[in-house]
Amino acid sequence: MPKIEIESVEDLYSLYVFLFGIDPQDFWQLPLKSVQLIVENKSAITAWRESEKERMMKDG
């Protein structure tokens, strides 16, 4: 994953809301640590789902 430099809250908002699909209300209302945990969990689930798709395609 490329290194992303966060310079402002707008950068962080764009990263979490537009790229990771976090609800804007969650971004503004939850503690930042909670938002980071949501992003980590969402990324892990997406990676698992993709690996399962690949495995199923290989198995036929």
Side-chain angles (χ1 to χ4, degrees):
M1 181 173 214
K3 182 175 170 141
I4 300 172
E5 290 192 33
I6 305 297
E7 296 179 1
S8 65
V9 70
E10 290 87 1
D11 293 343
L12 199 57
Y13 180 88
S14 297
L15 177 67
Y16 287 156
V17 173
F18 298 124
L19 294 178
F20 287 105
I22 299 301
D23 186 278
Q25 280 295 99
D26 290 342
F27 179 83
W28 292 116
Q29 301 298 323
L30 295 174
L32 183 56
K33 186 63 178 171
S34 295
V35 174
Q36 290 170 332
L37 289 172
I38 292 170
V39 167
E40 289 174 14
N41 289 333
K42 191 170 187 164
S43 296
I45 290 169
T46 300
W48 171 79
R49 215 178 261 150
E50 290 300 317
S51 69
E52 283 298 304
K53 280 184 191 176
E54 287 181 25
R55 186 185 63 78
M56 289 176 76
M57 289 178 72
K58 286 181 183 177
D59 292 345

